[in-house]
Amino acid sequence: MTLATGFMALPRNLLRLLGETVVALVLRPPPWRTVVTQMYNVGFRSVVFIAVTLGFLGLITVYQGCIQALKVLPDLSMVGAAFINVMIMEFGPTITALMVATRVGSGIAAELGTMVVTDQVEALEVSNTDPVEYVVAPRFLAVVVMMFVLTIFAILVATLAGMVMADLRFQVNPHTFLTLAYVEWGDVYIGLTKVFLYGVSIPIIAAESGFRASGGSEGVGQSTTRAVVNTLFAVIILDFVVAGAAFIIRMQFE
Amino acid sequence: MEPVVEIAGVSKLFSGTPVLQDCDLRLEPGRVHGLVGPGGSGKTLILKTLSTLLRPDSGSVILFGTTVDYGDRDGLRALRDRIGVQFQNLALFDFLNVFDNVAFPLVMTPDPPPTDEIDQRVHEALVEVGLPETAHLRLPELSGGMQRRVALARAAISGADLMVFDDPTGGLDPVFSSRIFVLIGELQERTGSTVVLASHDVDRMTRICGRFHVMDQGRRIYSGNIEDGRESEDRRIRTFLTVEA
Ligand SMILES: Nc1ncnc2c1ncn2[C@@H]1O[C@H](COP(=O)(O)OP(=O)(O)O)[C@@H](O)[C@H]1O
Ligand SMILES: [Mg+2]
């Protein structure tokens, strides 16, 4: 396989896996208990990670934001508004996705990779059980749903942390800080679009990598690393693509 | 009688290395077939081929009179409903407990039996392999030998028309190995299914295997009874059918 055909094979495999997963979800939805268990796993694996990261991000961003703002003019009344807007459009969804990609994406790739190299996938197949339907579909649904839940959680944590910093260090009243003054519906849609696309791509990229595992535990390790790298990369690219698309759409309306 | 498995001219390359080379295999129905040969000779791969799990690069696989068409999902399903496999590396589902592992092939049939029948059959199967009282355990709580017996129970539970056992006694002590071979023999007699098992334990295999197939370097080099094989001109065949560690 040349580098070029390998490069083209990945998007095709991803799209096929996505298609198979969606078809399985529609035609033979997994039992809700399975999905709830998976949602719990996704949340459990990433919630502390997200709380800590987004908490510090909130503190640091508000601290830097206030310091920089004060250089221009001595008015911090709109710092909260700007911060919350950026959190909704950008940092909430994207940082959450980076966390989920690392924690959950690696988990999915390791699980599936292990199943492949220990013949569990073949054992499913010989029992006429589709591994996509049985393993991938519930995890996919769980990640898509939990991305929304975790992003909201992340925005709340970051905003609270930012509010505390603004209040204690810069004497910005929490009432002043907590405002949606700068948030437009368009920004919310951008945020939601990102969350959805991240939620769709993380489990699919991770699962595809797991399915390609070969050759024992070393192969599982490689597929896990590949899953993390590819999902992080996908999140960054999607962030850029959505931001670009939003920019173009907004230009049309002005 | 029409063979249950008829593999003809099957070849397979793994990253450029031939692992099956123009391999033939015919399994007549209703007996226990023994598959022997040195490690790496392709026993596991040919068993996966006749379980429809490995798609050969060339050659044909006919199961129950039907040529396997790997693009035909429904056709594959129909064939797989008639096959039970114990994998060499067990392939037990580590996210399920012992009971759910053994019950899996029953639960996943198109027309599963009622719950209490499943309960009963799983418990019977576990008793047969000497593992009563383990149904609720998770796999890490079991020794390697116990896991192998769980895998056997799972392969046998649905009484499939074709049952495949890849090294069913690997790592088991001699007493238990004998018992497993007896069990497989009884299973075949009770169900009338076609059984194929790969093992190095030629001694114990002779008690239940009516026919032997010898693999070497990705080819089948002998099929027949043990006596004729032991008098073969070919030294490899004689060796593999006499003593294997
Ligand atoms: N997934 C794989 N990738 C590459 N080579 C493999 C793979 N599986 C098996 N092989 C090779 O194929 C040959 C036959 O393997 P196998 O059927 O497992 O032998 P046996 O079961 O007789 O010990 C061996 O040389 C093995 O190294
Ligand atoms: Mg083998």
Side-chain angles (χ1 to χ4, degrees), chain A residues 21-44:
Chain A
T21 307
V22 172
V23 167
L25 277 174
V26 172
L27 296 185
R28 292 171 300 274
W32 65 270
R33 290 179 61 100
T34 316
V35 180
V36 170
T37 310
Q38 291 303 327
M39 284 168 59
Y40 176 80
N41 283 344
V42 172
F44 184 77

Side-chain angles (χ1 to χ4, degrees), chain A residues 90-174:
Chain A
E90 184 57 58
F91 289 131
T94 304
I95 306 280
T96 304
L98 294 176
M99 302 293 122
V100 170
T102 328
R103 299 287 290 176
V104 179
S106 62
I108 291 175
E111 261 176 309
L112 264 168
T114 305
M115 290 186 70
V116 169
V117 303
T118 59
D119 288 348
Q120 288 179 61
V121 167
E122 290 185 338
L124 287 175
E125 284 173 346
V126 82
S127 291
N128 275 326
T129 305
D130 177 9
V132 172
E133 175 185 333
Y134 191 76
V135 185
V136 181
R139 284 161 181 73
F140 173 82
L141 191 55
V143 174
V144 171
V145 174
M146 287 308 286
M147 264 305 297
F148 285 96
V149 176
L150 290 169
T151 303
I152 292 169
F153 171 74
I155 293 171
L156 290 178
V157 170
T159 306
L160 283 178
M163 183 192 81
V164 169
M165 172 61 79
D167 186 20
L168 297 184
R169 176 72 178 75
F170 300 97
Q171 288 76 46
V172 177
N173 187 309

Side-chain angles (χ1 to χ4, degrees), chain B residues 49-62:
Chain B
T49 306
L50 63 83
S51 314
T52 73
L53 295 171
L54 185 75
R55 181 178 184 164
D57 298 333
S58 58
S60 67
V61 181
I62 302 175

Side-chain angles (χ1 to χ4, degrees), chain A residues 204-250:
Chain A
I204 294 296
I205 293 170
E208 196 274 341
S209 181
F211 273 128
R212 271 193 292 140
S214 66
S217 46
E218 196 187 330
V220 177
Q222 285 167 359
S223 93
T224 309
T225 311
R226 183 173 59 216
V228 173
V229 171
N230 288 356
T231 46
L232 292 180
F233 191 58
V235 167
I236 301 295
I237 297 284
L238 284 170
D239 188 19
F240 180 76
V241 168
V242 174
F247 178 75
I248 291 170
I249 291 171
R250 281 186 170 169

Side-chain angles (χ1 to χ4, degrees), chain A residues 52-125:
Chain A
V52 172
T53 313
L54 272 292
F56 278 112
L57 188 79
L59 294 176
I60 295 163
T61 313
V62 168
Y63 179 79
Q64 286 295 341
C66 289
I67 298 234
Q68 301 304 329
L70 285 174
K71 289 181 185 165
V72 185
L73 75 173
D75 172 19
L76 294 179
S77 61
M78 290 326 263
V79 159
F83 175 80
I84 289 171
N85 191 22
V86 173
M87 274 298 148
I88 289 175
M89 278 174 58
E90 184 57 58
F91 289 131
T94 304
I95 306 280
T96 304
L98 294 176
M99 302 293 122
V100 170
T102 328
R103 299 287 290 176
V104 179
S106 62
I108 291 175
E111 261 176 309
L112 264 168
T114 305
M115 290 186 70
V116 169
V117 303
T118 59
D119 288 348
Q120 288 179 61
V121 167
E122 290 185 338
L124 287 175
E125 284 173 346

Side-chain angles (χ1 to χ4, degrees), chain B residues 97-103 119-137 142 146 149-154 157 176 179 183:
Chain B
N97 67 13
V98 170
F99 181 94
D100 291 330
N101 262 287
V102 178
D119 277 8
Q120 199 200 335
R121 282 171 70 177
V122 171
H123 282 107
E124 281 170 12
L126 285 173
V127 168
E128 283 207 329
V129 295
L131 294 173
E133 319 290 323
T134 58
H136 59 284
L137 295 181
L142 270 56
M146 290 162 92
R149 282 137 66 191
V150 174
L152 269 162
R154 182 178 71 180
I157 188 87
F176 229 101
R179 176 152 167 210
L183 270 177

Side-chain angles (χ1 to χ4, degrees), chain B residues 5-68:
Chain B
V5 174
E6 191 160 18
I7 289 175
V10 157
S11 298
K12 181 81 188 172
L13 292 178
F14 268 139
S15 33
T17 317
V19 288
L20 291 175
Q21 303 185 60
D22 194 17
C23 187
D24 296 326
L25 183 68
R26 241 175 99 94
L27 303 182
E28 298 82 13
R31 64 201 316 184
V32 183
H33 294 266
L35 188 61
V36 296
S41 58
K43 299 185 295 295
T44 295
L45 294 177
I46 202 76
L47 291 179
K48 284 190 176 177
T49 306
L50 63 83
S51 314
T52 73
L53 295 171
L54 185 75
R55 181 178 184 164
D57 298 333
S58 58
S60 67
V61 181
I62 302 175
L63 297 176
F64 311 108
T66 310
T67 304
V68 179

